[in-house]
Amino acid sequence: MSKLHALFGGTFDPIHYGHLRPVEALAQQVGLKKVTLLPNNVPPHRPQPEASAQQRVAMLRCAIGDRPLFDIDTRELERETPSWTVATLEALRAERGAEQPLGFIIGQDSLLTLAKWHRWQDLLSLCHLLVCQRPGYATQMETDEMQQWLDAHRAHTPQQLHHSPAGHIWLADTPLFDISATEIRQRRHSGRSCADLLPDAVIDYIDRAGLYRG
Ligand code: ATP
């Protein structure tokens, strides 16, 4: 039984099918039993999410109610500091031990900007990167140097992710969903429907909480 455990960070303002469906497909492909959603803390000097941290977590709960693959870890929201993924992974690595295979899930857009992440070179010593496709984004890295880094670490079978604690990049063959939280917020602001972009339970919560109005 594999112990590969994956984490999926995001602002989730709100969570939508572009998050859920590719990750469900990824889980099938590589044999993930659990994916932990990690809602991030947005530091005060950055544009704030429209929903509060509490509301973003409430929406995650609505979304995963009938999806046992997922659970939620709110540790990044409990800190005052920015959510450095590398720091969260260090904490998880300390808790889980050196041998536990850990994956961190990102979309293709995040892979393309990875070189801007805090201490990005340390990420692969802590986890595997599991990358979901996202329509509208390049499939090649912007520089030769980053492309070489990607090629050097790319895993070719899911077993590689289960048999080592960290160090590989898996480019998953996931279905494309042209959905963003930005588009959902914009649709809501202009009174347009968001049906089919996110789970009904999340839409019901958004309605009840009066989020993304006018
Ligand atoms: P916003 O529009 O507010 O910037 P978003 O929809 O991009 O938000 P985030 O919460 O910022 O969502 O994204 C969290 C993670 O999910 C990121 O790694 C991002 O690449 C990935 N992601 C978001 N939307 C998609 C999508 N449609 N397909 C694949 N990956 C996605």
Side-chain angles (χ1 to χ4, degrees), residues 8 11-12 16 18-19 107 109-110 133-134 177 179 181-182 185:
F8 183 31
T11 309
F12 304 123
H16 52 71
H19 298 126
D109 55 311
S110 300
Q133 294 184 29
R134 187 168 187 177
F177 288 90
I179 304 174
T182 303
R185 295 193 301 273

Side-chain angles (χ1 to χ4, degrees), residues 8-14 16-19 22 40 104-111 117 132-135 137 174-183 185:
F8 183 31
T11 309
F12 304 123
D13 182 27
H16 52 71
Y17 283 137
H19 298 126
N40 59 25
F104 192 79
I105 301 172
I106 55 176
Q108 178 68 16
D109 55 311
S110 300
L111 178 68
W117 289 27
C132 294
Q133 294 184 29
R134 187 168 187 177
Y137 291 90
T174 48
L176 300 176
F177 288 90
D178 191 7
I179 304 174
S180 70
T182 303
E183 188 197 344
R185 295 193 301 273

Side-chain angles (χ1 to χ4, degrees), residues 23-202:
V23 170
E24 287 169 334
L26 165 75
Q28 282 273 333
Q29 263 173 37
V30 304
L32 283 172
K33 299 282 177 290
K34 201 45 106 183
V35 173
T36 298
L37 301 171
L38 268 175
N40 59 25
N41 181 36
V42 181
H45 61 275
R46 291 272 199 81
Q48 291 298 298
E50 285 191 37
S52 68
Q54 194 193 12
Q55 289 170 325
R56 288 186 288 130
V57 173
M59 291 189 280
L60 295 184
R61 289 214 183 90
C62 294
I64 69 170
D66 55 355
R67 291 184 167 79
L69 173 65
F70 295 95
D71 61 12
I72 305 170
D73 184 329
T74 58
R75 71 179 67 212
E76 293 193 343
L77 299 175
E78 285 145 22
R79 290 201 306 247
E80 295 295 304
T81 52
S83 301
W84 302 125
T85 297
V86 71
T88 302
L89 288 166
E90 281 173 339
L92 283 159
R93 179 55 74 199
E95 287 166 22
R96 305 288 176 85
E99 299 306 318
Q100 160 82 60
L102 285 179
F104 192 79
I105 301 172
I106 55 176
Q108 178 68 16
D109 55 311
S110 300
L111 178 68
L112 293 172
T113 57
L114 200 76
K116 298 197 179 98
W117 289 27
H118 182 58
R119 289 176 48 206
W120 71 272
Q121 291 98 331
D122 295 337
L123 291 171
L124 286 182
S125 66
L126 294 161
C127 67
H128 303 298
L129 287 175
L130 313 179
V131 185
C132 294
Q133 294 184 29
R134 187 168 187 177
Y137 291 90
T139 51
Q140 287 284 310
M141 301 300 279
E142 269 177 27
T143 64
D144 290 346
E145 199 187 349
M146 286 305 288
Q147 187 62 42
Q148 279 160 16
W149 171 83
L150 173 61
D151 294 340
H153 294 285
R154 205 169 155 183
H156 298 284
T157 68
Q159 285 69 30
Q160 290 174 274
L161 307 170
H162 293 268
H163 293 156
S164 58
H168 293 298
I169 302 171
W170 176 257
L171 300 184
D173 183 12
T174 48
L176 300 176
F177 288 90
D178 191 7
I179 304 174
S180 70
T182 303
E183 188 197 344
I184 290 170
R185 295 193 301 273
Q186 285 170 352
R187 280 181 179 240
R188 296 282 310 185
H189 285 306
S190 57
R192 284 176 292 151
S193 165
C194 292
D196 303 332
L197 302 184
L198 65 174
D200 288 342
V202 181

